[in-house]
Amino acid sequence: MTSLPAEGGSGGRPGIRAQIVAVVGLLDRPLTSYYLVLGCSMLLLTLGLTMVLASSNVEQLEQTGSAYTLFQKQAMWVGIGLPAMWLAARLPPRTFRALAYPLLLLSVIGLVIVLIPGLGSTAWGATRWIDLGPFQIQPSEPAKLGLVLWGADLMARRDKLGQLTDWRALLIPLMPGAGVVVLLVMLGNDLGTTLVLLTIFLALLWVVGAPFRLFVGMTGLIGLLVAILIVVEPYRMQRLTGFLDQSGDPLGIRYQGTQGLLAIASGGWFGTGLGEGRAQWGFLPHAETDFIFAIVGEQLGLVGTLVVLGLFGLLAYAGLRIARRVKDPFMRLAAAAATGWLSVQAIVNIGAVIGVLPITGIPLPLVSYGGSAMIPTLVVLGMLLAFAQREPGARQALAARGPGPAVRALSWLGLARR
């Protein structure tokens, strides 16, 4: 008895094409952006908690007597940030617009307080933190969210009034407002955050359709500003020269970068295993913050690093998809600026670890240790989830999906309305 050929023709090639078409079709569904943001965020968050423990357990056991000290602190920040993310995902766009000016104002006040002697805390050449005893607050992190919301609201109002054809309307007061925040961060010697804030500014100009000459001029001006910041600060100049001369001073300014590369190189394809790396034994400074990607490469190998890159890539795709599909100008601008913030921060962090960019000291979103960065990041991801629910067809798809598991459980217990 002769068997029938596989559906789609011989060799299975049409079948493979059908599978590819099916996968591409999934990307066109109304809730694709929603599930990509949610899924990538949760996976990166879980990976981050795991790697914070894997990178800090030896040092914390020696210093505090418990290997779980930093892990417990990070879990606490995640426990605060997840409800904030859940709340942000349920807020309407008008609430984000209403929060824009108060949040930016509070961030500016916080950045001013950081610069007051005795109130701001300085470490590793930068004045970033307000010391509140049990924990520290870094005002530059909520300043990123404040600039995203304020800039998006401002440009959306300009768009409604039809004023975006004039370059002065594009830059005033966006440029002075962003300049104040950037200047305060610069005075604290935080170059990494300055780059992220400038990226948000450029993303807003790009989305509103700034003339190419204006965009190039602003990019050149920002490049000149960054060059000045590097030249006037000796330790930044040392980092730059150390980056340009990869073979020089391996035990000095190049030590952290060299140890990071050694950690990644020793991971191979599949890594040494969780908690089995060498870098966590004090060889790699700040492994749980700036260089946590090196710990991923060492303990999870090339496969682990590719998974991290893939998750950030999908997150960036989802954010840009939201910005392209939503109709409201504010949501489009805020989604694009937020995506630029998270993407550039991830690129700069990973680029520094693998040696293709100078070290700037900014964390890897959702993965690195730190509560001041974690909470605003989760809030902005919740905002993207809220915007994703307002894509065309998303509300209908959510309604057709029915109640969530929590509501179904409450209904089963007789505690929710049917």
Side-chain angles (χ1 to χ4, degrees), residues 84-386:
M85 179 183 180
W86 177 86
L87 178 61
R90 280 150 180 78
L91 294 177
R94 65 177 179 272
T95 303
F96 291 106
R97 301 186 73 163
L99 292 173
Y101 288 81
L103 181 58
L104 187 66
L105 179 60
L106 289 174
S107 299
V108 169
I109 293 173
L111 290 171
V112 171
I113 292 174
V114 164
L115 299 176
I116 298 175
L119 297 179
S121 177
T122 301
W124 308 305
T127 305
R128 308 178 186 179
W129 297 271
I130 300 175
D131 195 347
L132 298 178
F135 56 91
Q136 294 179 325
I137 295 178
Q138 190 174 348
S140 59
E141 292 297 334
K144 298 173 188 176
L145 178 58
L147 183 59
V148 166
L149 297 179
W150 175 76
D153 178 68
L154 178 66
M155 291 293 98
R157 294 178 189 275
R158 291 282 192 270
D159 182 56
K160 187 176 181 180
L161 296 174
Q163 298 178 343
L164 295 182
T165 56
D166 185 3
W167 68 269
R168 286 167 295 188
L170 288 172
L171 295 180
I172 300 173
L174 178 62
M175 188 172 180
V180 169
V181 179
V182 169
L183 177 62
L184 291 172
V185 174
M186 285 167 43
L187 290 175
N189 291 326
D190 189 352
L191 180 59
T193 302
T194 300
L195 291 174
V196 176
L197 292 169
L198 293 172
T199 298
I200 294 171
F201 171 73
L202 289 177
L204 291 169
L205 287 182
W206 179 268
V207 175
V208 298
F212 183 71
R213 285 185 295 180
L214 176 63
F215 189 82
V216 172
M218 288 294 102
T219 304
L221 183 62
I222 288 172
L224 177 62
L225 176 64
V226 172
I228 293 173
L229 288 174
I230 293 173
V231 171
V232 299
E233 194 66 41
Y235 84 93
R236 290 199 196 110
M237 198 65 190
Q238 290 175 354
R239 282 184 175 180
L240 180 61
T241 54
F243 166 73
L244 295 175
D245 183 13
Q246 298 285 331
S247 61
D249 197 14
L251 298 179
I253 195 66
R254 279 289 308 158
Y255 179 77
Q256 187 182 30
T258 301
Q259 291 299 318
L261 289 175
L262 288 174
I264 292 178
S266 63
W269 284 95
F270 301 103
T272 58
L274 286 174
E276 299 296 329
R278 175 178 175 270
Q280 71 192 42
W281 289 86
F283 292 97
L284 178 60
H286 314 304
E288 72 279 1
T289 52
D290 306 347
F291 270 67
I292 200 165
F293 188 75
I295 302 298
V296 173
E298 181 183 37
Q299 299 189 11
L300 300 181
L302 177 64
V303 173
T305 60
L306 292 178
V307 168
V308 172
L309 290 172
L311 289 173
F312 276 113
L314 287 173
L315 192 58
Y317 167 78
L320 293 177
R321 186 178 189 270
I322 293 169
R324 182 176 60 86
R325 288 169 59 87
V326 293
K327 305 300 181 183
D328 181 68
F330 168 77
M331 289 194 290
R332 184 171 67 251
L333 286 159
T339 304
W341 155 18
L342 298 176
S343 301
V344 168
Q345 188 163 322
I347 290 170
V348 171
N349 178 278
I350 294 173
V353 173
I354 64 177
V356 298
L357 291 174
I359 298 172
T360 57
I362 62 175
L364 186 60
L366 298 175
V367 182
S368 293
Y369 171 78
S372 293
M374 178 66 69
I375 294 177
T377 300
L378 288 173
V379 170
V380 83
L381 289 168
M383 181 186 74
L384 289 177
L385 290 174

Side-chain angles (χ1 to χ4, degrees), residues 58-104:
V58 175
E59 181 181 1
Q60 291 304 306
L61 181 62
E62 180 182 358
Q63 293 180 357
T64 68
S66 172
Y68 301 97
T69 303
L70 282 190
F71 172 78
Q72 289 171 345
K73 290 182 179 179
Q74 186 77 342
M76 179 193 70
W77 289 119
V78 171
I80 296 172
L82 283 178
M85 179 183 180
W86 177 86
L87 178 61
R90 280 150 180 78
L91 294 177
R94 65 177 179 272
T95 303
F96 291 106
R97 301 186 73 163
L99 292 173
Y101 288 81
L103 181 58
L104 187 66

